Amino acid sequence: MRVRDELRMNVNQQPHMASPYGQPQPGYQGYPQPGYGGGHVPSGYPAQYAPYNGPGAAYQQGPPQGCSPYASFPSKTLATNLVSDLSSSSPLDLGVRGPPTSGAPSVSGAQSYSQFGQGETQNGPPPMGAPPQSPPVSQPYTAGAVNLSGAQPPYSQQFGAPPVSMQHMTNQMASMQVGSTAPSPAGQGYAPPSVSQAAMSAPYTPAAPPTFPPASTAPSQPPPTEAVARAPPHSYYGAPPPAQHPFPNAFSSTGPTQPQAPPPVSPQSFPQAPPVSQPPFSTAQVPPGPTQSYGGPLPPTQPSFSRPLLPTSQPSTFPAGPPPTSTPSQLPGVMQPQPPVSQPSPYHSGPPPTSTGFPPQVGAPPRPPFAGMQGPPMASQGPPMASQGPPLASQGPPMAQANHVPPTQPGMPPGPINASLSGPPPQLGMLGYPPQQNGAFGQVRGPHPGYTGPYPGQPNYGAPPAAPAAAPPALKRLDPDSIPSPVIEDDKANKGSEPFTTGVRGQAPPLVTTKFQVKDQGNASPRYIRCTAYNIPCNSDMAKQSQVPLAAVIKPLAPLPPDETPPYLVDHGESGPIRCNRCKAYMCPYMQFIEGGRRFQCGFCSCVTEVPPHYFQHLDHTGKRVDCYDRPELSMGSYEFTATVDYCKNNKIPQPPAFIFLIDVSYNAVKNGMVGIICQELKTLLDYLPRENPDVESNIRVGFVTYNKVLHFYNVKASLAQPQMMVVSDVADMFVPLLDGFLVNVSESRVVIESLLDQIPEMFADTRETESVFGPVIQAGLEALKAADCAGKLFVCHSSLPIAEAPGKLKNREDKKLVGTDKEKSLFQPQVSFYNTLAKECVAQGCCVDLFLFPNQYVDVATLGVVPTSTGGSIYKYTYFQASSDQERFLNDLRRDVQKQVGFDALMRVRTSTGIRATDFFGSFYMSNTTDVELAGLDCDKTVTVEFRHDDKLSEETGALMQCAVLYTSCSGQRRLRIHNMAVNCCSQLADLYRNCETDTIINFFAKYAYRSVLGSPIKNVRDSLVNQCAQILACYRKNCASPSSAGQLILPECMKLLPVYLNCVLKSDVLQPGADVSLDDRAYLRQLVSTLDVSESHVFFYPRLLPLQKLDVMSMSLPVAVRNSEERLSRGGVYLLENGLNIFLWVGVNAQQELLQNIFGTPAFGQIDPNMTSLPALDNPFSKRLREIIESFRAQRSRYMKLMVVKQEDKLELIFKHFLVEDKSNNGGASYVDFLCHMHKEIRQLLS
């Protein structure tokens, strides 16, 4: 029996997928946004962007038939089936094939065949009025669902001769098929047709065809219709299907049908070709299931050789026998697409722009971006359909497929048979994925030879004139449920119930979306360290070949849940921690005691070191020390040592740290209420300064400064009756005017501090000073810490661009014209070098800076953020701060920032065993050499990401070790060492590497790598390199680990099946692909924010969590199962909660049940809900209580307080909400998930060829 560890998709890549990035090419008309995915504009796209359907040489021009009018490129169409065929040792193969026709193809003459010719192969059913035609060479093409709002133009396109070689075949590949059977032997690379179709919701009525350059006439006979079953009338237009039962009546069951000969072809269609027939098919052995059908005639057939299959990793072999078809049994229906709208992101500095796309239909939800939806709807089509393509009456009875040989692909050596790979058994929930909307890529990298005018009015050079044709049917689209779903429940079921014990080397932990308990048995908890791979290549050649990044995301002070034990503190007295003499690694479970316990051999460098007499202990019969389990450093993955004076700066025990609050009191800060709010809050917040023992008061001292163009220091000594203010106006040469009385103990000076906090808002209430400084403010805090000889943290609350004359003065350099050019990178770099020098001084003193920004316009976050991001600090941004709506968010952020566990004056070093070394680091820190990460402050939310490279060979027996040691001063002033150890396996087989990767960590690394790269490279290059590396990772798997199969199959390793969807989310993010409404400050802020995110936060940041609240069970503590981030998942009758780590949105459908609204908002009427509310009313009903608990629990999991935004369907705020439906096409030009999957497949195939 063979376990599944990969996903296969048969991907008929019908259109040429455009590059998902970059600016539009010249001549790219009709799109309002800089990318693809903007509004629909009547101008269409120019000739060079016609769909790609094979080698350029064979092209004849004309647009494909049956495309959605919304498709900027006719979307790929994937009807997919997921079947895990464990018995035949075949990995999951998502392969879609068109339904079979009978008769064997006689490829006897060159014939011009039209993959999408008028009336030939059409994506979807033909119009009812005109009989559909199908040439004998073709197989019916199963159509997926497409919702066309409005009519659609019939496009026709003709192509050259049928393929005569496998290579020719491969080149003609395009368009995704996702299904689960082996490739067809029906001819070299012929795609076995799929019978899977989605249900159609509305009858299809043709309209008169528009005029356009005609292509050759279509065949004149309809395909067989015996097996057409009509779905009951069930329309979801204007509303997505109800969430509970997405497609109640979408299927009709049909058994296997008899083979039937194809209809004849009219001579115009294939001028010189004799009919080509194909042998009867046998279906793969799969239990019969519901076959989706639609109420209308069948779609015409399609040339089988136009789309070879994607390779499958099934080792099954075929003699010359009938190919299997894919079984339609697994497909739930498909929902209809909807046009995109433009939207701002929630951290935007400006109000949302108006939509450039279609407005939502009256009474209907705005529709999700779909299938490349560009181009105007034409008046040539009937109503939209949710899906089409009936089961055809041409397939034979089911047969097992174990006796078929997949065709090998030219230029690609057959990989090892995958049956030998061991991996996790297939898991429930993977076999059918929730639906997903389709789309086609926007920009093309450049014109391809043979591309011509796809729309009316554009030249159709070289194409033969054609007779007018009937209106085309709707486009077939990829079945959304058959591509991998980011909503993963099986990991929760399999790994969430038992504690995760860390004693097994190279064991991948549960996913970040799974709630689990950790038991430390010798490796660090995944809460502290997550690796991109837990089985790393033995040598650098293998690592280079796979391109899988080798990295660890380390969160040294991560908070633990209450049911887990924090690291034990070990005190070895004055002699300090035991270490290896050579590499200085700290004592850990990887040290091997020898010679009866008198020496130990280092697991990192193999050096032998004497055991100090006080640490000696005898060994048991296994060679372990008898006190092994009594000592955390010998049995645990994470622990702490108390550091001796040798580990202290200047060999002096450190002073307790200090917190200094520096408050902007210029006009804007006073007017927006920030000054009053913070002063009021600090009165109580100072009682909650961090401490190690909750029963003892904090050792941390505090000080206060206010500033505008000058600085005001306050003496709050306990002996004073009133605080004293001292003004320093010489900001060019900053100094602290007082030593005694500036930093004080809160409990001793409470009365004076409260008096000061009462007076500050009054003192500056009438200020007219609009200018402020910034550099001198940080200098003042730094000088105060130097004078007190301690480390500490500055809390700077700042509101405007520092334009006053002073060191660090800035000018407004916001220039949107640079976006998309090679000079764009300069906008992310600091304007002046002053802050880099200042940051270095802060790190040397242990002065960490946290910055709270309250801007109403550009403040140059890229420059102001240099000091916080170099000192281990944080940036918080409240654009257009309003006390009424933003006060709660600011105060919660401030409270958490002041109270959270933090270490000062930290130094981190990562040691590794021989063979690999740490080469690159990402995060908020400073490095003065290549090995030491210096952090003025390190809090419990910060991560440091480390990349490793080979410098020698590794061995499979010993594996690879890493040890992260962090030296820091605790908030009580104690110097400590926190140690985290991690052992991973090494492998000499690529298959083992691909079986033990963690996609979430890889994406975290890719995002940080890309976000740092924008400082030095044009963004287009950064995006290209990301796509290229991802394609290389998947191509390497395809070439070396998957069994040989046709080029048309997209094969994804099981643990990386979500790499494309997550990578697309990174590429679409505001930093790498901004919408017109995203400010430069927002982008700089997000770039700096992501650099320190841990894996769970980056996961929800790039792929937000979306919960259907109408399915919430108030009696259960479990959450409703999340739905995928696509607009077509939203039901008009539902209420949904979306969280992304920075915001929580509550989306309310226009038809939401009155009882639901009453329970949540206290009103049964949709119109009475206040969209400006930022907190839900505390109602006395179980639903309200449970919902508020869920929101609070989400907030508790995140490092920043998430503001609640209520979004009513069809309200202006919905534009912001839709920005986070990341599987849809975004209006800033981001590709939909389906499009990107097709694009990745094309990139992989280019690499393999």
Side-chain angles (χ1 to χ4, degrees):
M1 160 148 170
R2 144 139 181 95
V3 286
R4 180 193 79 187
D5 52 22
E6 67 187 39
L7 268 178
R8 307 190 155 229
M9 304 197 203
N10 270 348
V11 180
N12 272 352
Q13 238 161 315
Q14 160 184 340
H16 165 66
M17 297 322 306
S19 151
Y21 30 81
Q23 295 306 312
Q25 310 289 334
Y28 192 60
Q29 307 152 0
Y31 295 45
Q33 295 287 5
Y36 42 81
H40 318 309
V41 192
S43 56
Y45 34 72
Q48 65 264 45
Y49 297 100
Y52 176 98
N53 276 292
Y59 275 30
Q60 291 189 335
Q61 285 76 353
Q65 167 78 337
C67 293
S68 152
Y70 290 124
S72 57
F73 299 93
S75 330
K76 315 84 359 255
T77 60
L78 275 108
T80 69
N81 294 330
L82 273 169
V83 181
S84 179
D85 182 2
L86 300 178
S87 58
S88 68
S89 69
S90 68
L92 187 57
D93 152 19
L94 288 141
V96 167
R97 301 138 199 189
T101 53
S102 57
S106 72
V107 202
S108 51
Q111 59 196 61
S112 105
Y113 66 99
S114 161
Q115 205 166 347
F116 304 96
Q118 191 58 39
E120 283 156 35
T121 304
Q122 301 173 353
N123 292 338
M128 291 177 179
Q133 301 96 0
S134 98
V137 295
S138 63
Q139 296 172 176
Y141 185 31
T142 52
V146 138
N147 175 14
L148 309 172
S149 6
Q152 196 184 351
Y155 331 165
S156 96
Q157 179 156 356
Q158 283 203 322
F159 303 80
V164 289
S165 70
M166 187 60 189
Q167 183 61 53
H168 191 176
M169 206 30 252
T170 309
N171 294 346
Q172 278 168 344
M173 259 308 297
S175 173
M176 278 184 102
Q177 286 184 335
V178 180
S180 55
T181 56
S184 153
Q188 281 188 325
Y190 285 37
S194 157
V195 285
S196 53
Q197 271 115 272
M200 157 173 161
S201 311
Y204 184 78
T205 3
T211 58
F212 65 100
S216 74
T217 3
S220 53
Q221 278 192 275
T225 54
E226 285 87 51
V228 177
R230 291 177 187 267
H234 202 84
S235 170
Y236 291 126
Y237 296 102
Q244 293 81 350
H245 308 287
F247 297 94
N249 304 320
F251 310 142
S252 70
S253 268
T254 51
T257 49
Q258 294 306 311
Q260 165 169 343
V265 181
S266 82
Q268 302 98 305
S269 163
F270 294 84
Q272 304 134 353
V276 175
S277 59
Q278 218 169 334
F281 275 60
S282 61
T283 56
Q285 182 69 46
V286 207
T291 304
Q292 277 122 337
S293 55
Y294 63 94
L298 323 163
T301 55
Q302 151 196 355
S304 61
F305 37 76
S306 64
R307 310 189 155 124
L309 293 177
L310 286 139
T312 156
S313 72
Q314 291 153 297
S316 32
T317 59
F318 308 51
T325 60
S326 81
T327 334
S329 57
Q330 313 276 330
L331 298 186
V334 182
M335 302 196 218
Q336 73 277 15
Q338 303 171 345
V341 282
S342 102
Q343 73 287 325
S345 107
Y347 14 77
H348 295 152
S349 312
T354 53
S355 162
T356 47
F358 282 9
Q361 302 164 347
V362 178
R367 324 186 115 205
F370 166 69
M373 304 203 246
Q374 252 82 352
M378 302 290 195
S380 61
Q381 227 94 358
M385 13 187 61
S387 59
Q388 55 270 7
L392 292 211
S394 51
Q395 65 263 31
M399 282 176 60
Q401 63 181 33
N403 59 345
H404 296 306
V405 178
T408 49
Q409 179 189 350
M412 188 188 120
I417 297 299
N418 229 9
S420 61
L421 304 186
S422 62
Q427 294 162 351
L428 301 173
M430 298 264 182
L431 299 185
Y433 299 92
Q436 140 82 23
Q437 118 291 331
N438 182 13
F441 261 69
Q443 292 118 287
V444 184
R445 293 188 182 180
H448 268 254
Y451 273 29
T452 51
Y455 274 136
Q458 295 196 338
N460 197 13
Y461 310 111
L475 167 66
K476 171 182 173 202
R477 54 177 291 212
L478 171 59
D479 173 8
D481 278 0
S482 50
I483 53 180
S485 166
V487 177
I488 300 178
E489 293 298 313
D490 58 340
D491 191 73
K492 296 176 187 174
N494 297 338
K495 296 186 180 176
S497 49
E498 296 289 315
F500 174 72
T501 55
T502 68
V504 182
R505 184 180 82 189
Q507 176 184 217
L511 299 176
V512 289
T513 47
T514 298
K515 193 173 178 185
F516 59 97
Q517 183 189 8
V518 180
K519 291 204 168 154
D520 186 341
Q521 294 184 354
N523 276 314
S525 159
R527 305 195 200 285
Y528 295 124
I529 302 182
R530 277 189 180 264
C531 300
T532 54
Y534 290 86
N535 207 336
I536 67 175
C538 282
N539 57 62
S540 57
D541 292 343
M542 193 170 151
K544 261 191 208 106
Q545 186 183 5
S546 73
Q547 288 287 311
V548 174
L550 303 178
V553 179
I554 305 173
K555 193 175 185 180
L557 301 185
L560 299 180
D563 58 356
E564 292 178 23
T565 314
Y568 290 101
L569 182 60
V570 178
D571 189 351
H572 283 314
E574 289 183 10
S575 59
I578 314 295
R579 304 176 70 175
C580 167
N581 274 346
R582 183 198 288 161
C583 70
K584 302 299 182 193
Y586 293 87
M587 180 54 67
C588 68
Y590 315 138
M591 303 299 190
Q592 181 70 41
F593 287 86
I594 54 175
E595 297 179 20
R598 287 188 294 277
R599 293 173 163 206
F600 68 88
Q601 184 172 25
C602 176
F604 295 90
C605 69
S606 303
C607 176
V608 175
T609 303
E610 293 280 339
V611 174
H614 70 88
Y615 196 69
F616 173 79
Q617 186 55 272
H618 294 285
L619 308 185
D620 64 12
H621 65 285
T622 64
K624 277 189 174 176
R625 284 174 54 125
V626 295
D627 65 349
C628 171
Y629 293 104
D630 301 329
R631 289 191 176 273
E633 74 273 22
L634 298 182
S635 57
M636 312 282 281
S638 301
Y639 42 89
E640 291 197 320
F641 292 118
T642 50
T644 59
V645 72
D646 302 336
Y647 292 86
C648 300
K649 194 184 284 181
N650 304 326
N651 290 343
K652 280 193 331 197
I653 297 294
Q655 298 285 330
F659 282 3
I660 303 177
F661 297 89
L662 303 111
I663 305 168
D664 180 352
V665 289
S666 63
Y667 177 75
N668 280 340
V670 173
K671 192 183 71 167
N672 67 20
M674 180 269 282
V675 174
I677 289 168
I678 190 172
C679 290
Q680 188 60 34
E681 175 64 23
L682 284 175
K683 291 183 197 172
T684 51
L685 184 54
L686 294 179
D687 291 332
Y688 298 96
L689 296 174
R691 65 204 73 195
E692 292 191 63
N693 182 344
D695 305 326
V696 179
E697 70 176 46
S698 175
N699 288 353
I700 294 176
R701 292 170 295 166
V702 297
F704 304 88
V705 175
T706 57
Y707 67 93
N708 40 45
K709 273 167 67 171
V710 297
L711 277 74
H712 322 105
F713 292 79
Y714 297 93
N715 183 344
V716 283
K717 201 168 165 181
S719 55
L720 295 174
Q722 282 292 323
Q724 295 173 345
M725 178 166 87
M726 301 181 184
V727 179
V728 176
S729 52
D730 181 9
V731 290
D733 185 16
M734 184 47 61
F735 66 98
V736 180
L738 74 163
L739 291 179
D740 190 27
F742 179 65
L743 293 178
V744 296
N745 180 291
V746 174
S747 54
E748 292 171 7
S749 299
R750 178 176 304 283
V751 176
V752 189
I753 290 172
E754 290 196 355
S755 169
L756 169 67
L757 294 172
D758 283 335
Q759 289 176 37
I760 287 175
E762 295 169 9
M763 273 193 288
F764 298 100
D766 300 322
T767 184
R768 287 285 170 268
E769 184 54 75
T770 55
E771 292 186 358
S772 64
V773 295
F774 184 71
V777 178
I778 293 173
Q779 285 176 322
L782 173 60
E783 292 301 323
L785 294 178
K786 278 183 182 171
D789 192 23
C790 68
K793 188 182 259 197
L794 311 184
F795 297 84
V796 183
C797 299
H798 188 79
S799 67
S800 57
L801 190 70
I803 52 172
E805 277 304 327
K809 171 186 174 180
L810 301 178
K811 60 180 191 292
N812 188 334
R813 58 169 178 165
E814 186 174 33
D815 186 357
K816 284 281 179 98
K817 291 199 289 292
L818 296 182
V819 174
T821 69
D822 285 356
K823 292 185 178 171
E824 183 175 10
K825 61 190 177 197
S826 66
L827 301 174
F828 293 107
Q829 298 163 355
Q831 254 189 71
V832 292
S833 60
F834 169 82
Y835 292 100
N836 298 78
T837 311
L838 181 57
K840 191 173 169 182
E841 292 174 23
C842 288
V843 172
Q845 181 57 39
C847 168
C848 175
V849 179
D850 281 356
L851 177 58
F852 294 80
L853 286 170
F854 302 84
N856 288 340
Q857 55 198 20
Y858 179 73
V859 290
D860 200 349
V861 175
T863 305
L864 299 188
V866 167
V867 178
T869 53
S870 302
T871 58
S874 305
I875 304 173
Y876 299 85
K877 185 164 172 282
Y878 311 91
T879 307
Y880 300 126
F881 179 82
Q882 290 179 310
S884 57
S885 59
D886 297 310
Q887 174 174 348
E888 185 185 18
R889 181 174 151 229
F890 164 55
L891 290 180
N892 277 283
D893 282 342
L894 180 66
R895 285 170 198 148
R896 183 182 159 93
D897 198 47
V898 167
Q899 295 173 39
K900 66 186 173 187
Q901 182 190 1
V902 60
F904 296 95
D905 224 348
L907 189 69
M908 172 174 143
R909 181 175 281 191
V910 177
R911 293 178 174 85
T912 54
S913 55
T914 310
I916 55 168
R917 61 194 170 88
T919 57
D920 208 352
F921 300 84
F922 302 82
S924 287
F925 51 76
Y926 176 77
M927 291 185 78
S928 55
N929 58 39
T930 57
T931 55
D932 296 330
V933 175
E934 299 173 51
L935 300 117
L938 174 63
D939 63 54
C940 59
D941 297 324
K942 293 291 183 299
T943 64
V944 175
T945 301
V946 186
E947 185 180 14
F948 301 98
R949 294 268 163 89
H950 288 78
D951 56 9
D952 203 346
K953 286 190 174 157
L954 296 164
S955 102
E956 289 187 73
E957 290 73 46
T958 55
L961 311 176
M962 68 183 85
Q963 183 180 77
C964 166
V966 182
L967 175 66
Y968 70 98
T969 303
S970 72
C971 51
S972 60
Q974 187 180 30
R975 201 72 174 147
R976 290 193 186 160
L977 280 154
R978 178 166 288 204
I979 311 295
H980 297 298
N981 302 292
M982 174 65 81
V984 296
N985 286 334
C986 296
C987 58
S988 56
Q989 296 295 319
L990 282 165
D992 294 327
L993 163 66
Y994 282 102
R995 206 176 289 114
N996 284 283
C997 292
E998 193 182 39
T999 300
D1000 292 316
T1001 313
I1002 291 174
I1003 288 296
N1004 179 286
F1005 172 80
F1006 275 162
K1008 290 172 180 175
Y1009 181 84
Y1011 280 21
R1012 187 180 70 181
S1013 300
V1014 300
L1015 291 173
S1017 305
I1019 283 183
K1020 181 179 184 314
N1021 298 5
V1022 174
R1023 296 168 54 85
D1024 285 350
S1025 70
L1026 272 184
V1027 172
N1028 186 47
Q1029 185 167 359
C1030 180
Q1032 286 185 315
I1033 290 171
L1034 298 176
C1036 175
Y1037 177 83
R1038 166 65 183 269
K1039 182 174 177 183
N1040 299 287
C1041 306
S1043 52
S1045 47
S1046 107
Q1049 260 192 333
L1050 172 60
I1051 303 178
L1052 303 172
E1054 176 60 25
C1055 69
M1056 287 192 187
K1057 63 185 179 190
L1058 297 175
L1059 187 62
V1061 64
Y1062 292 155
L1063 183 74
N1064 189 35
C1065 295
V1066 174
L1067 294 171
K1068 288 164 73 163
S1069 61
D1070 287 329
V1071 174
L1072 297 182
Q1073 191 160 32
D1077 44 6
V1078 184
S1079 72
L1080 294 174
D1081 274 347
D1082 287 329
R1083 296 175 68 197
Y1085 164 67
L1086 292 174
R1087 194 190 76 75
Q1088 292 166 345
L1089 172 76
V1090 167
S1091 70
T1092 59
L1093 292 183
D1094 71 9
V1095 180
S1096 61
E1097 289 188 309
S1098 65
H1099 175 271
V1100 80
F1101 177 82
F1102 289 113
Y1103 194 94
R1105 171 158 58 167
L1106 182 62
L1107 301 180
L1109 295 181
Q1110 63 273 18
K1111 296 187 181 179
L1112 177 62
D1113 178 2
V1114 294
M1115 305 312 291
S1116 158
M1117 287 311 290
S1118 61
L1119 296 173
V1121 175
V1123 296
R1124 294 167 64 171
N1125 291 341
S1126 173
E1127 187 170 0
E1128 60 186 19
R1129 304 297 162 138
L1130 304 179
S1131 156
R1132 295 168 71 81
V1135 177
Y1136 295 81
L1137 191 71
L1138 181 144
E1139 67 130 348
N1140 69 348
L1142 295 178
N1143 298 84
I1144 292 181
F1145 296 92
L1146 193 63
W1147 183 90
V1148 187
V1150 288
N1151 297 340
Q1153 303 156 12
Q1154 292 188 351
E1155 183 188 6
L1156 194 59
L1157 299 182
Q1158 183 71 50
N1159 284 340
I1160 299 173
F1161 301 103
T1163 172
F1166 177 81
Q1168 290 174 10
I1169 298 168
D1170 176 13
N1172 298 317
M1173 67 171 68
T1174 54
S1175 59
L1176 294 177
L1179 304 176
D1180 188 17
N1181 68 68
F1183 195 95
S1184 174
K1185 287 176 185 164
R1186 181 74 185 109
L1187 177 55
R1188 283 179 285 119
E1189 279 170 15
I1190 289 172
I1191 290 173
E1192 285 314 307
S1193 73
F1194 283 6
R1195 284 172 170 160
Q1197 292 167 26
R1198 306 294 170 214
S1199 59
R1200 290 165 189 253
Y1201 185 84
M1202 297 186 289
K1203 177 179 170 182
L1204 177 72
M1205 299 171 76
V1206 174
V1207 178
K1208 294 166 72 174
Q1209 188 178 356
E1210 298 168 14
D1211 192 39
K1212 61 182 186 293
L1213 270 181
E1214 200 178 30
L1215 298 172
I1216 297 177
F1217 173 76
K1218 285 182 186 173
H1219 185 69
F1220 299 103
L1221 299 178
V1222 291
E1223 289 197 22
D1224 295 341
K1225 176 166 289 202
S1226 61
N1227 77 306
N1228 57 357
S1232 72
Y1233 174 16
V1234 174
D1235 290 338
F1236 189 71
L1237 205 54
C1238 290
H1239 179 73
M1240 282 308 306
H1241 177 232
K1242 176 174 151 281
E1243 294 282 324
I1244 291 164
R1245 288 181 48 220
Q1246 281 178 350
L1247 288 171
L1248 291 174
S1249 62

